[in-house]
């Protein structure tokens, strides 16, 4: 079965019982970016996660209308199931964290688990942020959703980058392909 090295690294490093995978509905910081429909992103995550019982897909954000904010999602999670939460993000997102809606409240609700990519300079941590961030070392492979989308758009292979079932789904639904690379 296919395994996500990043998910496995987070589960192991943070000693988690489960990792909740949650595709965003319409993230505030990606308003201008064209996203695949939420139902397609949920379906692909379910296909990718089905071989790992510690991965769970949530539709909390994807099922709603309008712009989604991390702070509201964390508040809903905490109200439904009080726990010590980590919010896993890429280091690129950490650099923008101060521009997010209510970053202080987010830090009250969860610790930030930041995926570190090999060879990238560490994001500077100031003030309260320093106490609320744990860096999660990632395997030495350059794999990101942005890189996958770019490769698909230009017609390059993403085999072994995503599970075969997800690749089949993307092909069947024509996701992420540019007009030049769409199959007819």
């Amino acid at each position: 079965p296919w395994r996500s090295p990043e998910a496995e690294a987070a589960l192991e490093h943070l000693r988690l019982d489960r990792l909740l995978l949650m595709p965003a509905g319409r993230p505030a910081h990606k308003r201008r970016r064209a996203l695949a429909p939420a139902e397609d992103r949920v379906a692909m995550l379910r296909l990718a996660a089905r071989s790992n019982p510690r991965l769970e897909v949530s539709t909390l954000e994807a099922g709603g209308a309008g712009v989604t904010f991390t702070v509201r999602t964390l508040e809903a999670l905490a109200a439904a199931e009080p726990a010590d939460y980590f919010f896993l993000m890429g280091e690129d997102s950490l650099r923008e964290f101060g521009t997010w809606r209510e970053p202080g409240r987010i830090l009250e609700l969860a610790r930030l688990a930041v995926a570190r990519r090999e060879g990238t300079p560490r994001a500077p941590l100031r003030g309260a942020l320093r106490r609320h961030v744990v860096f999660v070392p990632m395997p030495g492979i350059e794999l990101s959703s942005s890189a996958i989308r770019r490769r698909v758009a230009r017609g390059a292979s993403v085999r072994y980058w995503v599970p075969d079932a997800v690749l089949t789904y993307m092909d069947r639904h024509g996701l992420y392909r540019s007009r030049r690379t769409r199959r007819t």
Side-chain angles (χ1 to χ4, degrees), residues 23-26 38 41 59-68:
R26 188 75 195 143
R41 290 181 284 123
T59 59
L60 181 63
E61 283 196 4
V67 175
T68 55

Side-chain angles (χ1 to χ4, degrees), residues 18 50 149 165:
R18 69 183 175 133
R50 70 181 175 193
R149 287 190 301 269

Side-chain angles (χ1 to χ4, degrees), residues 54-114:
R54 293 172 64 197
L55 299 179
E56 181 181 326
V57 177
S58 168
T59 59
L60 181 63
E61 283 196 4
V67 175
T68 55
F69 294 97
T70 299
V71 67
R72 301 295 169 252
T73 301
L74 288 170
E75 286 173 340
L77 284 172
E81 186 178 344
D84 292 327
Y85 286 100
F86 285 97
F87 178 78
L88 184 60
M89 64 169 47
E91 197 159 7
D92 55 334
S93 294
L94 178 62
R95 294 177 194 284
E96 302 170 350
F97 183 69
T99 67
W100 289 22
R101 173 149 310 173
E102 298 183 58
R105 178 72 175 131
I106 292 170
L107 296 178
E108 291 172 10
L109 295 163
R111 288 195 64 196
L112 302 182
V114 179

Side-chain angles (χ1 to χ4, degrees), residues 4-177:
S4 164
E6 289 87 356
E8 295 294 331
L11 285 164
E12 182 178 313
H13 187 78
L14 300 170
R15 296 186 175 110
L16 303 175
D17 297 326
R18 69 183 175 133
L19 182 63
L20 191 60
L21 306 172
M22 187 178 307
R26 188 75 195 143
H29 61 285
K30 295 182 181 179
R31 289 182 195 183
R32 294 186 186 131
R33 190 180 304 167
L35 298 175
E39 60 271 11
D40 288 327
R41 290 181 284 123
V42 168
M44 289 185 289
L45 263 181
R46 284 187 173 138
L47 289 169
R50 70 181 175 193
S51 66
N52 188 335
R54 293 172 64 197
L55 299 179
E56 181 181 326
V57 177
S58 168
T59 59
L60 181 63
E61 283 196 4
V67 175
T68 55
F69 294 97
T70 299
V71 67
R72 301 295 169 252
T73 301
L74 288 170
E75 286 173 340
L77 284 172
E81 186 178 344
D84 292 327
Y85 286 100
F86 285 97
F87 178 78
L88 184 60
M89 64 169 47
E91 197 159 7
D92 55 334
S93 294
L94 178 62
R95 294 177 194 284
E96 302 170 350
F97 183 69
T99 67
W100 289 22
R101 173 149 310 173
E102 298 183 58
R105 178 72 175 131
I106 292 170
L107 296 178
E108 291 172 10
L109 295 163
R111 288 195 64 196
L112 302 182
V114 179
R116 289 261 313 126
R117 299 265 185 229
E118 293 274 333
T120 59
R122 183 171 273 188
L125 299 178
R126 292 181 180 85
L129 195 57
R130 185 174 294 141
R131 292 185 306 277
H132 295 279
V133 172
V134 58
F135 285 97
V136 180
M138 289 289 134
I141 57 173
E142 278 303 312
L143 186 61
S144 70
S145 58
S146 298
I148 290 168
R149 287 190 301 269
R150 281 193 303 271
R151 288 182 63 83
V152 170
R154 68 174 194 262
S157 173
V158 291
R159 187 156 193 223
Y160 306 116
W161 288 41
V162 298
D164 288 343
V166 173
L167 184 56
T168 299
Y169 186 97
M170 287 170 29
D171 282 344
R172 188 177 320 127
H173 292 85
L175 298 175
Y176 310 118
R177 296 202 181 278

